Structure formats: structure tokens, C-alpha cells
Amino acid sequence: MTTKPAFSVLLMPLFFAVGCNESEVMSLPGDPAKGKMAIAAYGCGSCHAIPGILGANGRTGPPLERIAERTYLAGVLPNTPEQMMRWIRIPEAIDPLTAMPNMDVSVNDARDITAYLYTLK
Amino acid sequence: MIPGTRSRAIVILGAGIATLLSGCSGSQSALNPAGSAADLIARLWWPTLVVASLVTMLVLALLLVAIFRAHKKGAALPLSARQSRNLVIACGIILPLAATIPFALSSFSIGREIDAPLPDGALTVEVVGKLWWWEVHYLDETGGRIATTANEIHIPVNEPVRFLLKSDNVIHSFWVPNLQGKTDMMPGRTNVTSVTANQPGIYRGQCAEYCGTQHALMAFLLVAEEPEAFEAWLEGQRQPAMEPATAQEMLGREVFLNEDCADCHAIRGTSAEGQDGPDLTHIASRRTLAAATTPNRIGHLGGWITDPQHIKPGNQMPSTELSPANLQALLSYLGSLE
Ligand SMILES: [Cu+2]
């Protein structure tokens, strides 16, 4: 049974990589409070029902309730903060058939919006 | 009284008053005047409040005196006939007249001042109350239309502006509390009001006469700006719509013209000449959508076009089923109409 430790050693870099990934997420901390304001300003609520945002009860897009726990975003992207930011900024480039418009969301705003959406568990 | 209760009561009372008074500031308040007419009205309003409060307190005090004196046996001496007559004359005739005549006179003279005719060359804006939005025409000296827009009115500061107020449906009322007094818009009549803004700013106006389901969401913005900025704005509104600059915008215009949009909306410079909805020639230059219901951002515009009945239930725009690609193109086109 000498293969086992060797196997674990082989796995080590993978764990590190996962750790790296996580620290990268940590290096992108958005501010959920600012995200809330950005969501109201860009008008996401005219198409989405979003818990915690006043008047956000649109029906054109899917409700974003518990979006943090969804496996895929828009059915096409893995649900990670990076992918969430990409979707918010360039939905039409990711899914050319989508009805969600490009709203010229800035990187910082997308980061804050993502931080807020991930509080929806 | 438990120690602390009184100070707590004072804090609560103070907070209550502060909340009430906070309604006095802001962009839709008659008590925060930024125009001559509103200024006169506010100057009448404050003394009215003071005198009416004093009268109320006086009456309540007298009532309390009467109640407590009735309990003291033998204390109530009947008045003689002469005393009662004098009391009625003093408190029933002289005091009420003294309290109301000054207000009637000053209200009358303020009314005359507000209604004073404007100089001949004054800028004239015609506003038509619709269900549930505002159509706005800028008129030249002969009454011809210089430009048409909706839900956002610009005027130069420190200049009297004449407003011709109309309706082609039910009664509405035109009211920008910071600038002027309510003026009704009656079908078949033209009411005139004048507005002079003394401070640049963006003020909110609101329909002040119940006119149906979406009366509450029938608002508009009045932008008072420096004369040069105003002239530049009016010149922009006078122009026909911008030509599409990209293929996407070009497609958006096609979509607009081929869908039902053009039956209800006009975009000057194109074949869209519908009259049932707001003129969209310079929609991207406006700050809000659907009579100040939402800010004018792409997100809100997308939500409005795909589901207007959800955002403003009962309004007169139906939702249009568009393919997502056509929606994207339409949004690009409308977003380019500065
Ligand atoms: Cu109304």
C-alpha cells in the first residue's frame, strides 16, 4: 500500500490550485451594499424579481432568488463569481440568443452586483 | 413619571416633528419654493398654519375651561342677556372676520399677481394631459410647433414661461409644487398658468386630479436650467431623429418600423408617425420612462418594452413579443436617439 501516500502527494498540487482559485475569489471582494444600489440604478429589477431590492419584481427574466445556489447561470455558465461578472457585463456575447441586454455595466459595478447576488442563498 | 420617560417622550415627539418637516424639503414640495408663484403661495401658507393653530388651541382651551368649571358646584354664573349678546358679537362675528379677512385679501392679491398677463414674447409651452402621461409642445410666436416631447419639460431660469394646459380625455391637474399652484387641465378648454423658476434644478410634477388607474404614476420632471443650456436643449429637440450609426441600430429602426411601435409612437425623420403614445424622437435624452415611473436606463427600457403592463398595470401600451435579437437591436436604436 505504498501507492496511497504517493497518490496523495500527486493530489497535493490540485488542492493548492483549488486554494489559489479561492484566494483569487477573495481578491475580488465586491461590496454587497453598493451592489444593491447598482442593481437599482441599472434597472435589473424591471426584468428580474430580486429579493431585497425595492420594486424589483420584473417577469421578463428568471427570478434571482437563491441565485447563489444555482449550478448554472442562464443554463450555460458554471455559477462562479467570475462567470457571474461576465454574464452581467456581456450576456449577448456568451449566449447570442439571450434577451438580456448589454447594459454597459462597469467592472466595479459588476463586482458589487455579483457580491450582492451571492448573498441570495 | 418614571425617570427618563419624559425625555424619551420628548425624543419621540421631536422625531415625529422632524419626520413631518422632512416632507417640507425636496424636489416635490410646496414648502421648498424655487419659483415666484410657489414663493407667494408658501408665504401665505405659513401664516395660515400659525393662525389656524392658534385658533384651534384657543378653542380647545375654552372647551377645557368650560368642562372643568361645570364640575365646580355653584361656580357657573349665568351671563346676563347683554353679556351673552356681546360674547356672540365678539367671538362669533368680530374674531372670525378679523382672522379670515386678511387671508382672503392676501389670497386674492396673490391670485392676481400669479395670473398677471405675461410679456408678449414669453416662451410658450403647451402641455396636454394624456392617460397617463404628458405630451409637451414648444410653440413659436404664431402658435406653430417648434418641438414635441413628453414627460420632461425644460425651461430657462428667471424667465416667465407661459403654460397652455389642455386635455383630450378626462380632467387632469398640472402641478409642480416647488414652482406653481395646481392648475386643472379640462377637456375642451385651455387653462393658462405661468411659471418662473428662480433656481436651476430638477423638480418633480405630479398629476393632482384623479384620472384613472395610473393617476399615481402620472408624473413628470421639470428641468429649470441656464438660458444657454435651455436653448441648446430646445435646438436638439427641434431636430429630427439621429440616423442609425451601426448595423445593429439600423436593424433596431427596422424592428421599430415593422412592429406595432410605429402605430402609436412618432420618431420624427422616419415613417413612424403614431400619435397615441409619447414622441420618441429624442427618447435617449430623457431622464425617465413612462411618466417618471422608472429612470431611463437600458435595463428599465428592456423591462418596459417586454412587459409594460407589469411595470405600470393598466397603461395604454401593450407588450410586444419580440425575438431576443430584435429586442437587443431595438434597445440599441432607442438608446442612440439622443
Ligand atoms: Cu391624474
PDB file of all heavy atoms in Angstrom, chain B residues 172 207 209-211 215, ligand 1:
ATOM      1  N   HIS B 172     -57.269  66.384 -15.767  1.00  0.00           N
ATOM      2  CA  HIS B 172     -56.020  66.185 -15.031  1.00  0.00           C
ATOM      3  C   HIS B 172     -55.678  67.503 -14.348  1.00  0.00           C
ATOM      4  O   HIS B 172     -56.329  68.518 -14.588  1.00  0.00           O
ATOM      5  CB  HIS B 172     -54.876  65.816 -15.986  1.00  0.00           C
ATOM      6  CG  HIS B 172     -55.130  64.605 -16.819  1.00  0.00           C
ATOM      7  ND1 HIS B 172     -54.883  63.331 -16.367  1.00  0.00           N
ATOM      8  CD2 HIS B 172     -55.606  64.466 -18.084  1.00  0.00           C
ATOM      9  CE1 HIS B 172     -55.192  62.466 -17.320  1.00  0.00           C
ATOM     10  NE2 HIS B 172     -55.638  63.121 -18.373  1.00  0.00           N
ATOM     11  N   CYS B 207     -49.577  64.633 -11.487  1.00  0.00           N
ATOM     12  CA  CYS B 207     -50.986  64.897 -11.772  1.00  0.00           C
ATOM     13  C   CYS B 207     -51.716  64.994 -10.433  1.00  0.00           C
ATOM     14  O   CYS B 207     -51.537  64.172  -9.549  1.00  0.00           O
ATOM     15  CB  CYS B 207     -51.597  63.784 -12.619  1.00  0.00           C
ATOM     16  SG  CYS B 207     -53.333  64.089 -12.983  1.00  0.00           S
ATOM     17  N   GLU B 209     -55.186  65.491 -10.079  1.00  0.00           N
ATOM     18  CA  GLU B 209     -56.627  65.273 -10.159  1.00  0.00           C
ATOM     19  C   GLU B 209     -56.817  63.826 -10.570  1.00  0.00           C
ATOM     20  O   GLU B 209     -56.340  63.418 -11.635  1.00  0.00           O
ATOM     21  CB  GLU B 209     -57.241  66.221 -11.201  1.00  0.00           C
ATOM     22  CG  GLU B 209     -58.739  66.079 -11.369  1.00  0.00           C
ATOM     23  CD  GLU B 209     -59.518  66.616 -10.170  1.00  0.00           C
ATOM     24  OE1 GLU B 209     -59.199  67.737  -9.728  1.00  0.00           O
ATOM     25  OE2 GLU B 209     -60.418  65.906  -9.705  1.00  0.00           O
ATOM     26  N   TYR B 210     -57.500  63.042  -9.740  1.00  0.00           N
ATOM     27  CA  TYR B 210     -57.623  61.613 -10.031  1.00  0.00           C
ATOM     28  C   TYR B 210     -58.168  61.399 -11.446  1.00  0.00           C
ATOM     29  O   TYR B 210     -59.209  61.959 -11.803  1.00  0.00           O
ATOM     30  CB  TYR B 210     -58.528  60.916  -9.009  1.00  0.00           C
ATOM     31  CG  TYR B 210     -58.612  59.445  -9.298  1.00  0.00           C
ATOM     32  CD1 TYR B 210     -57.529  58.612  -9.043  1.00  0.00           C
ATOM     33  CD2 TYR B 210     -59.745  58.895  -9.892  1.00  0.00           C
ATOM     34  CE1 TYR B 210     -57.575  57.267  -9.351  1.00  0.00           C
ATOM     35  CE2 TYR B 210     -59.792  57.544 -10.198  1.00  0.00           C
ATOM     36  CZ  TYR B 210     -58.705  56.739  -9.926  1.00  0.00           C
ATOM     37  OH  TYR B 210     -58.746  55.411 -10.243  1.00  0.00           O
ATOM     38  N   CYS B 211     -57.451  60.587 -12.238  1.00  0.00           N
ATOM     39  CA  CYS B 211     -57.809  60.473 -13.653  1.00  0.00           C
ATOM     40  C   CYS B 211     -57.859  59.029 -14.109  1.00  0.00           C
ATOM     41  O   CYS B 211     -57.870  58.741 -15.290  1.00  0.00           O
ATOM     42  CB  CYS B 211     -56.813  61.265 -14.498  1.00  0.00           C
ATOM     43  SG  CYS B 211     -55.111  60.762 -14.212  1.00  0.00           S
ATOM     44  N   HIS B 215     -53.194  57.120 -12.352  1.00  0.00           N
ATOM     45  CA  HIS B 215     -53.042  58.504 -11.910  1.00  0.00           C
ATOM     46  C   HIS B 215     -51.780  58.684 -11.059  1.00  0.00           C
ATOM     47  O   HIS B 215     -51.023  59.642 -11.223  1.00  0.00           O
ATOM     48  CB  HIS B 215     -54.294  58.895 -11.111  1.00  0.00           C
ATOM     49  CG  HIS B 215     -54.150  60.120 -10.286  1.00  0.00           C
ATOM     50  ND1 HIS B 215     -53.976  61.363 -10.840  1.00  0.00           N
ATOM     51  CD2 HIS B 215     -54.122  60.290  -8.953  1.00  0.00           C
ATOM     52  CE1 HIS B 215     -53.874  62.256  -9.859  1.00  0.00           C
ATOM     53  NE2 HIS B 215     -53.951  61.629  -8.722  1.00  0.00           N
TER      54      HIS B 215
HETATM   55 CU    CU C   1     -54.375  62.175 -12.639  1.00  0.00          CU
END
